[in-house]
């Protein structure tokens, strides 16, 4: 990883750091306004489903994106979610799935920009905070 972090080129985003836990690895890159929206959608699907993007035992000849798109098309979205996440708030999960689906649109020009994706996340989190405050009667005037 240190070697990758030292590579400099005008077409590469600088690697800022990394984290390794067991076999999982997380690379931290400099923020880009023209980031790969499609990949962000894949990562979001991984988080929502708890599944790896390519797993022949799970998807056969298909992959996570194709599997999820098929379930959405068949109106079986709840089957996408990791059962452990379903305990926390199903409505919020559907909002995150909507964002993932927008990022994974087959037509690149119809996908949101990374700035728009971040705004959707911000709106979702802000809405969740307001709802929680109202529910807990902690809203002060």
């Amino acid at each position: 990883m240190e070697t990758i972090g030292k590579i400099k080129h005008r077409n590469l985003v600088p690697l800022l750091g990394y984290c390794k836990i067991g076999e999982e690895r997380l690379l931290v890159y400099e923020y880009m306004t023209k980031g790969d929206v499609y990949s962000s959608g894949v990562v979001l699907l991984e988080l929502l489903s708890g599944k790896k993007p390519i797993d022949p035992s799970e998807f056969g000849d298909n992959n996570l994106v194709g599997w999820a798109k098929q379930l959405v098309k068949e109106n079986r979205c709840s089957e996408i979610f990791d059962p452990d996440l379903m305990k926390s708030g199903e409505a919020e999960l559907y909002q995150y799935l909507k964002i993932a689906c927008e990022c994974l649109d087959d037509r690149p020009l119809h996908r949101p920009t990374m700035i728009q994706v971040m705004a959707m996340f911000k709106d979702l989190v802000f809405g969740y905070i307001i709802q929680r405050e109202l529910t807990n009667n902690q809203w002060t005037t």
Side-chain angles (χ1 to χ4, degrees):
M1 291 296 175
E2 286 85 10
T3 304
I4 293 173
K6 293 176 185 174
I7 298 172
K8 305 288 185 222
H9 189 274
R10 64 183 172 86
N11 292 332
L12 295 177
V13 179
L15 177 66
L16 301 177
Y18 67 94
C19 177
K20 178 183 172 191
I21 300 174
E23 295 299 313
E24 299 292 324
R25 286 161 180 71
L26 172 71
L27 301 177
V28 181
Y29 291 97
E30 189 173 292
Y31 175 75
M32 292 177 44
T33 57
K34 292 185 178 183
D36 187 348
V37 173
Y38 189 90
S39 293
S40 299
V42 174
V43 170
L44 189 50
L45 268 184
E46 286 183 74
L47 293 170
L48 291 170
S49 67
K51 299 181 185 313
K52 295 183 180 201
I54 299 172
D55 185 352
S57 66
E58 187 80 45
F59 311 118
D61 290 337
N62 209 344
N63 57 38
L64 177 62
V65 173
W67 171 79
K69 284 184 175 185
Q70 186 63 38
L71 290 177
V72 168
K73 185 177 177 182
E74 295 171 1
N75 201 23
R76 297 168 44 206
C77 297
S78 62
E79 295 177 37
I80 294 170
F81 304 125
D82 183 327
D84 290 335
L85 293 177
M86 292 294 280
K87 301 170 190 170
S88 64
E90 196 172 331
E92 190 177 1
L93 294 176
Y94 281 98
Q95 292 298 316
Y96 284 111
L97 179 60
K98 181 179 181 288
I99 294 170
C101 289
E102 288 184 36
C103 292
L104 297 167
D105 195 303
D106 291 331
R107 302 158 298 178
L109 294 176
H110 288 90
R111 295 178 197 150
T113 65
M114 283 306 295
I115 296 291
Q116 291 169 323
V117 172
M118 292 307 297
M120 287 186 263
F121 283 138
K122 198 182 235 182
D123 290 346
L124 185 57
V125 170
F126 184 69
Y128 175 73
I129 290 170
I130 289 175
Q131 181 181 12
R132 186 185 67 202
E133 294 294 320
L134 289 172
T135 302
N136 293 333
N137 294 320
Q138 295 176 354
W139 194 261
T140 57
T141 55

